[in-house]
């Protein structure tokens, strides 16, 4: 090897981990499609100006974290640090607003931020997100929150808290901004270094500093919630009432301000107590002015994005490893047996079964051990005598039952219900073995 490694902050997703990714995407997609969300894909790089205008020049993302480069035509391009700006650009560019009604979109893919890598924080990471464009109704806020809740619950993730806040509208925030600066300025020297810098540029972000002393100072700061106009208050009240009606618990966190400038009114995060510093698995909120800021018509909107690596860390921690979806492991030895095995495996695959064929040619014992480890409920064994008789040994690994059937007959058996029974048996075994 030449000593080449994946770039710092990136990671390979090896086959063992793929099941988590597939489970996550399949489950999320089912839940979203039931609520009439449609998938959209946008490019991985966009014009730099899109993010500068969309996310805000004063944010950390635009200020320090973007992967920006000039292409050979001297255009300034940036690897997308998030998905919302690109989706809004596509919404405007393709006139999706002209289709009338509300656009409910979802997306998934890699995002790029030049952050300091640590567990749960990468420079290339993946998000799954939704954007609902064209509704300012509080029911839209609650619909997206409820969908995130259902996806996270469906993954069996317990121990998550929904943090909720309203960051109001622009005029609420500009009054608040000044009050916050007035309160924080006497403490300037006590704030952490980042917060000192933010005091003039982006004081609201000081509220979610991780520094203990800054947090202590921020606790007693004026609250944005006290600066909301009657309309903003009413919107927030509706969101809370609908969440209560759906039985979705939340904690009001007046210090929750998100790291992107486009938010208005509802802001929320799902946080985990099991992830240490990088606790937010899903973040989002309303962004009623972004479409106009990027050149489109006035369009209220709301959305969220989940960090898939963080969700997978949680799934791994609770060791809810998704089981393999392999149906059969095929073991064969000897020229004729191997040829017959090759053909039988193909026939089964054509009938929709998932079959892994052992290619090692090693002793039966070794092949059978691999069959046990494969997680497949069924094992098909063809040795010399089976090959001569054109039969196959069909072994249900968990139950330990074994029968001989002709290779032709195997294809006519109701293998699906046998597989279901074998999987049920294996699940019962593993739960009764649990301490
Ligand atoms: P965000 O809070 O910047 O929001 O990112 C959403 C989620 O992406 C975070 O909660 C976290 O789980 C994950 N994430 C962010 N940065 C990293 C990283 N460096 N490594 C691993 N995971 C990370 C947005 O991106 C908004 N576009 C969400 C949104 C959609 N708001 C409205 N619509």
């Amino acid at each position: 090897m030449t000593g080449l490694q994946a770039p710092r902050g990136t990671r390979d997703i090896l086959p063992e981990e793929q099941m988590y990714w597939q489970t996550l995407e399949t489950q999320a997609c089912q839940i979203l499609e039931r609520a009439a969300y449609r998938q959209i894909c946008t490019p991985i790089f966009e014009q730099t100006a899109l993010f500068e205008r969309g996310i805000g020049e004063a944010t950390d993302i635009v200020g320090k974290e973007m992967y920006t480069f000039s292409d050979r035509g001297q255009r300034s391009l940036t690897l997308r640090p998030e998905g919302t700006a690109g989706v809004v650009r596509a919404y405007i560019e393709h006139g999706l607003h002209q289709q009338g009604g509300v656009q409910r979109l979802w997306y998934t893919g890699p995002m790029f931020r030049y952050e300091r890598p640590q567990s749960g924080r990468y420079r290339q990471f993946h998000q799954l997100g939704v954007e609902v464009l064209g509704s300012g109704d509080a029911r839209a806020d609650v619909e997206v929150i409820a969908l995130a809740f259902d996806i996270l619950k469906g993954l069996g993730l317990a121990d998550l808290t929904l943090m909720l806040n309203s960051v109001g509208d622009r005029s609420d925030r500009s009054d608040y901004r000044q009050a916050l600066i007035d309160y924080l300025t006497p403490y300037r020297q006590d704030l952490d270094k980042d917060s000192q810098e933010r005091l003039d540029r982006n004081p609201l972000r000081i509220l979610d500093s991780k520094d203990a002393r800054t947090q202590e100072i921020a606790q007693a700061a004026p609250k944005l919630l006290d600066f909301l106009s009657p309309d903003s208050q009413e919107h927030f009240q509706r969101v809370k009432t609908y969440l209560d009606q759906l039985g979705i618990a939340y904690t009001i966190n007046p210090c929750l301000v998100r790291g992107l400038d486009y938010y208005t009114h509802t802001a929320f995060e799902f946080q985990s107590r099991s992830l240490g510093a990088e606790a937010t698995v899903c973040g989002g909120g309303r962004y009623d002015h972004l479409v106009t800021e990027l050149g489109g018509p006035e369009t209220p909107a709301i959305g969220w994005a989940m960090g898939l690596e963080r969700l997978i860390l949680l799934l791994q921690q609770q060791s809810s490893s998704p089981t393999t979806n392999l149906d059969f492991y095929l073991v064969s030895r000897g020229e004729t047996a191997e040829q017959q095995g090759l053909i039988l495996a193909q026939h089964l695959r054509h009938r929709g079964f998932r079959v892994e064929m052992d290619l090692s040619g090693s002793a039966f014992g070794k092949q059978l051990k691999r069959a046990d480890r494969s997680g497949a409920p069924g094992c098909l064994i063809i040795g010399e005598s089976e090959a001569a008789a054109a039969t196959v040994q069909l072994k249900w690994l968990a139950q330990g039952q074994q029968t001989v059937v002709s290779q032709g007959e195997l294809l006519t058996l109701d293998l699906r219900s046998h597989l279901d029974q074998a999987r049920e048996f294996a699940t019962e075994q593993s739960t009764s073995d649990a301490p």
Side-chain angles (χ1 to χ4, degrees):
M1 258 311 271
T2 55
L4 289 176
Q5 291 176 339
R8 184 165 147 76
T10 69
R11 50 193 293 282
D12 301 307
I13 304 166
L14 298 176
E16 292 74 57
E17 212 184 288
Q18 294 294 343
M19 286 293 290
Y20 289 103
W21 291 82
Q22 283 164 15
T23 307
L24 233 161
E25 196 172 321
T26 315
Q27 290 194 10
C29 177
Q30 269 171 9
I31 290 172
L32 295 172
E33 287 186 347
R34 267 190 250 140
Y37 285 65
R38 299 178 306 151
Q39 190 172 7
I40 184 167
C41 301
T42 61
I44 281 174
F45 57 83
E46 298 266 3
Q47 289 176 41
T48 303
L50 171 68
F51 302 118
E52 287 171 348
R53 278 166 58 190
I55 300 172
E57 309 234 23
T59 59
D60 282 354
I61 296 181
V62 172
K64 341 187 205 178
E65 295 172 0
M66 295 209 300
Y67 279 91
T68 297
F69 58 97
S70 293
D71 74 2
R72 288 169 191 271
Q74 304 314 313
R75 298 170 194 90
S76 178
L77 299 172
T78 294
L79 297 184
R80 62 182 183 194
E82 58 105 50
T84 311
V87 170
V88 170
R89 195 246 335 115
Y91 173 84
I92 300 168
E93 188 172 332
H94 301 284
L96 298 188
H97 50 281
Q98 285 156 4
Q99 295 180 2
V102 175
Q103 288 286 334
R104 291 179 165 88
L105 305 169
W106 73 273
Y107 54 89
T108 186
M111 310 289 159
F112 305 85
R113 295 184 193 175
Y114 191 81
E115 290 195 81
R116 206 139 61 82
Q118 64 176 59
S119 169
R121 195 205 286 152
Y122 310 99
R123 291 182 175 171
Q124 175 176 328
F125 60 98
H126 295 76
Q127 286 185 344
L128 185 141
V130 305
E131 310 296 348
V132 176
L133 295 122
S135 174
D137 195 305
R139 283 173 303 165
D141 306 35
V142 175
E143 177 176 294
V144 296
I145 294 174
L147 286 169
F149 179 82
D150 283 348
I151 292 172
L152 297 168
K153 203 169 122 205
L155 293 168
L157 296 176
D159 210 21
L160 293 177
T161 308
L162 168 60
M163 296 285 185
L164 188 67
N165 193 18
S166 170
V167 295
D169 211 338
R170 281 171 174 159
S171 56
D172 309 337
R173 263 209 311 279
S174 76
D175 296 345
Y176 175 65
R177 190 177 190 277
Q178 198 47 54
L180 188 62
I181 294 176
D182 293 345
Y183 166 80
L184 288 171
T185 303
Y187 295 103
R188 184 185 279 270
Q189 295 315 318
D190 298 329
L191 300 174
D192 62 276
K193 212 165 142 285
D194 276 351
S195 298
Q196 288 182 13
E197 277 172 29
R198 284 178 176 147
L199 190 52
D200 308 309
R201 270 188 316 123
N202 200 356
L204 266 70
R205 288 287 289 159
I206 296 176
L207 297 177
D208 70 358
S209 161
K210 302 275 188 298
D211 178 78
R213 175 69 184 129
T214 306
Q215 274 181 359
E216 201 184 314
I217 296 168
Q219 278 304 320
K223 301 283 176 277
L224 179 48
L225 287 176
D226 297 328
F227 285 71
L228 297 186
S229 68
D231 282 354
S232 301
Q233 276 176 28
E234 195 196 322
H235 183 88
F236 193 43
Q237 189 51 50
R238 275 182 200 277
V239 171
K240 290 187 290 185
T241 306
Y242 295 152
L243 285 172
D244 291 338
Q245 285 169 350
L246 288 183
I248 299 179
Y250 53 85
T251 303
I252 301 291
N253 179 354
C255 288
L256 179 80
V257 283
R258 308 254 312 120
L260 305 96
D261 273 358
Y262 48 61
Y263 291 110
T264 51
H265 301 290
T266 314
F268 59 91
E269 289 185 353
F270 284 89
Q271 298 179 353
S272 159
R273 281 181 288 275
S274 326
L275 273 180
E278 296 307 318
T280 305
V281 292
C282 173
R286 188 162 269 294
Y287 51 94
D288 288 345
H289 306 299
L290 183 59
V291 182
T292 32
E293 265 153 31
L294 295 178
E298 209 161 290
T299 311
I302 181 154
W304 49 251
M306 292 181 178
L308 300 188
E309 281 80 359
R310 291 184 193 176
L311 289 180
I312 284 163
L313 275 173
L314 282 178
L315 290 173
Q316 286 171 331
Q317 267 178 26
Q318 61 183 38
S319 72
S320 55
S321 65
T323 45
T324 174
N325 54 12
L326 201 61
D327 295 319
F328 294 105
Y329 193 91
L330 193 142
V331 164
S332 57
R333 192 163 154 83
E335 177 85 26
T336 320
E338 286 170 3
Q339 277 174 18
Q340 290 181 357
L342 180 68
I343 296 166
L344 191 61
Q346 273 304 86
H347 282 319
L348 286 166
R349 289 173 189 146
H350 292 162
R351 281 168 174 71
F353 296 103
R354 301 186 183 91
V355 184
E356 179 173 343
M357 182 170 55
D358 194 303
L359 291 172
S360 66
S362 52
F364 269 123
K366 282 194 176 162
Q367 294 196 42
L368 288 169
K369 272 201 185 122
R370 275 195 289 271
D372 278 329
R373 283 199 302 263
S374 75
C379 178
L380 298 164
I381 307 161
I382 311 180
E384 268 171 34
S385 54
E386 287 83 15
T391 57
V392 56
Q393 302 259 4
L394 170 58
K395 182 172 181 186
W396 298 107
L397 290 163
Q399 292 107 314
Q401 291 164 1
Q402 193 160 336
T403 44
V404 184
V405 280
S406 85
Q407 290 173 21
E409 196 193 331
L410 180 77
L411 301 172
T412 66
L413 295 180
D414 183 9
L415 292 172
R416 292 243 172 264
S417 57
H418 284 293
L419 281 165
D420 288 345
Q421 280 170 20
R423 286 200 166 97
E424 243 168 66
F425 183 85
T427 315
E428 276 166 24
Q429 286 286 101
S430 67
T431 40
S432 67
D433 287 352

